[in-house]
Amino acid sequence: MTKFDSLLEAEYVQTQSQRNLSVARLLYLANCCFILGFVAWDVAIDRNQALFTLLVRGIAAAFSFGVFCLSFIVNLKNYTYLFSYISALASHLAQSIVLISLEQGLVYGTTALTFFPLVLVALAPTSRSTLSVGALGFFLIPNLVMAIAKTDRFLWLNANVFLVATCLLFYILGMMTDRGRRQTFLLEKTLEQQATQDGLTGVANRRFFLELGSREFQRAQRYHKHLSLLLIDIDHFKRINDNYGHPIGDKAIIALTELICRVVRHTDIVGRIGGEEFAVLLTETDRTGAECVAERIRTAVTEMRLTMGGITIVFTVSIGGATLTADYKDMQHLIKTADDALYQAKGAGRNRVVIAKNGYD
């Protein structure tokens, strides 16, 4: 599994854990209602054992309700499926004891054993092994109870045929549910990436960069923080495409992106806002800091050598920048100032940095 896959898996598990917590709470209450809802059925089947089965049902319902209350006190996000499984397993055990205790209980009520495993499918299983252990638990508990009670061999055989079918169905539905949710999650992430990331470089696209930039602009204005913007443009990029072809031009853009991301901090925002034009929003950075970062990028680009197919590519960049002051009305105003500075850098011969002289300093 790649690093990206691992991060995606962790995000999926976290997302499902948050969703499952509310579903699990409904499951705990459903357990209580289901277990207690058949008290009248116990009386109708075997009045003599109804008091004992009521006690068993009461204990199981109290356990499930206790887990329900616990979910509001303790952070169970990472253990939601485990607690839900334990709750369902306890209810499954109680139901098995009830069916064995009642006269002809197994004949009339074996189908009740399907409720707990099949309702549990509503939660996203964490893995195939989780499903396997879950199915095994739902199969073994009734058999253990029947073995202790020395159940008639014919009833035992019939119950096991039913249990095998139920556990197999639980396993298959669990796999299908988890697979469907994973596909939906991956589709949502793909659409999100397409909407926010540049397809070639992986950094923020123009629309998403402007969205993030507007948020940072408002935050910096509200709390009187420094904020600087750099616009970076590859000099004579058309020549690279014309002389070496667009695939080489794409590799140059990717190499520049990787270089920028290495130079700036992880808190800064990098975006591709044009064909060969990039924008970098430097948080908590004044004019002096912005100029320092811009020079580091410019110098690193001039020293960079791209060798592809026996061809060595060398190129430079021009950088324009601006630093936030109280005079700026919005993000577009800051971009306009940085763009003017970039135009000056290009007009002065390219391969240079021009930062507008309007910072806090």
Side-chain angles (χ1 to χ4, degrees):
M1 182 178 290
T2 64
K3 181 179 180 181
F4 175 75
D5 291 335
S6 299
L7 293 175
L8 204 60
E9 176 70 18
E11 186 177 351
Y12 169 76
V13 172
Q14 182 181 8
T15 301
Q16 291 304 312
S17 296
Q18 293 172 349
R19 169 199 171 275
N20 285 348
L21 189 57
S22 57
V23 177
R25 287 168 179 164
L26 293 177
L27 174 61
Y28 304 147
L29 293 179
N31 276 353
C32 296
C33 296
F34 183 86
I35 294 170
L36 295 177
F38 282 85
V39 173
W41 183 82
D42 294 351
V43 175
I45 294 296
D46 189 349
R47 185 181 298 271
N48 294 329
Q49 290 294 322
L51 188 60
F52 170 74
T53 59
L54 176 61
L55 176 63
V56 174
R57 290 181 183 277
I59 294 174
F63 179 84
S64 189
F65 186 74
V67 177
F68 169 78
C69 295
L70 189 65
S71 69
F72 290 95
I73 302 174
V74 182
N75 186 357
L76 299 179
K77 289 182 179 180
N78 296 327
Y79 305 99
T80 300
Y81 193 86
L82 175 63
F83 276 86
S84 300
Y85 175 63
I86 293 174
S87 176
L89 210 59
S91 303
H92 196 67
L93 171 62
Q95 191 68 17
S96 301
I97 294 174
V98 168
L99 295 181
I100 295 301
S101 302
L102 297 175
E103 183 69 26
Q104 298 297 309
L106 278 174
V107 175
Y108 297 109
T110 308
T111 55
L113 295 175
T114 62
F115 176 80
F116 307 107
L118 296 185
V119 169
L120 197 60
V121 173
L123 300 179
T126 55
S127 65
R128 182 175 298 183
S129 59
T130 302
L131 281 170
S132 302
V133 172
L136 185 63
F138 287 119
F139 175 78
L140 289 179
I141 282 183
N143 271 281
L144 180 62
V145 173
M146 286 187 287
I148 294 175
K150 299 180 179 179
T151 303
D152 178 78
R153 187 178 181 84
F154 178 75
L155 290 177
W156 174 85
L157 182 61
N158 284 345
N160 269 280
V161 170
F162 181 80
L163 283 171
V164 168
T166 299
C167 292
L168 184 61
L169 184 61
F170 164 73
Y171 183 84
I172 294 174
L173 288 178
M175 288 292 295
M176 293 175 61
T177 300
D178 185 54
R179 182 178 179 182
R181 287 179 181 160
R182 286 178 182 274
Q183 290 177 341
T184 301
F185 176 78
L186 288 175
L187 178 60
E188 291 174 350
K189 295 303 294 183
T190 300
L191 293 175
E192 179 182 330
Q193 289 175 2
Q194 291 176 348
T196 60
Q197 292 184 1
D198 174 62
L200 179 63
T201 62
V203 297
N205 58 23
R206 182 182 182 88
R207 185 192 65 80
F208 192 50
F209 178 84
L210 292 177
E211 180 182 330
L212 295 177
S214 296
R215 295 178 190 173
E216 286 297 327
F217 183 92
Q218 294 173 6
R219 187 185 71 85
Q221 275 196 328
R222 181 180 300 117
Y223 299 108
H224 305 289
K225 300 291 185 180
H226 290 297
L227 183 69
S228 294
L229 173 68
L230 300 180
L231 295 184
I232 306 168
D233 191 83
I234 299 177
D235 296 327
H236 303 297
F237 182 70
K238 187 176 183 300
R239 294 180 185 176
I240 298 177
N241 283 334
D242 292 343
N243 294 335
Y244 305 106
H246 289 280
I248 300 298
D250 288 345
K251 291 184 181 297
I253 289 175
I254 294 172
L256 176 59
T257 305
E258 293 173 349
L259 186 150
I260 294 172
C261 291
R262 287 197 303 269
V263 172
V264 302
R265 303 161 299 181
H266 72 277
T267 54
D268 299 326
I269 302 171
V270 180
R272 184 186 178 198
I273 60 175
E276 69 277 10
E277 187 174 1
F278 292 83
V280 180
L281 198 63
L282 303 171
T283 59
E284 307 281 342
T285 304
D286 59 14
R287 183 176 181 276
T288 302
E291 188 170 16
C292 179
V293 173
E295 279 294 343
R296 287 174 59 194
I297 293 174
R298 188 195 65 80
T299 303
V301 172
T302 60
E303 297 173 351
M304 184 169 58
R305 300 292 184 269
L306 299 180
T307 302
M308 293 164 283
I311 302 173
T312 300
I313 308 297
V314 179
F315 62 90
T316 61
V317 295
S318 298
I319 304 176
T323 301
L324 178 65
T325 67
D327 297 330
Y328 289 103
K329 299 178 181 179
D330 52 31
M331 185 63 185
Q332 290 296 338
H333 192 182
L334 188 66
I335 292 175
K336 177 64 169 59
T337 304
D339 193 52
D340 290 341
L342 176 61
Y343 182 80
Q344 293 176 30
K346 286 183 171 293
R350 293 183 168 82
N351 188 24
R352 63 191 64 226
V353 172
V354 175
I355 307 295
K357 295 182 178 180
N358 56 356
Y360 280 113
D361 46 71

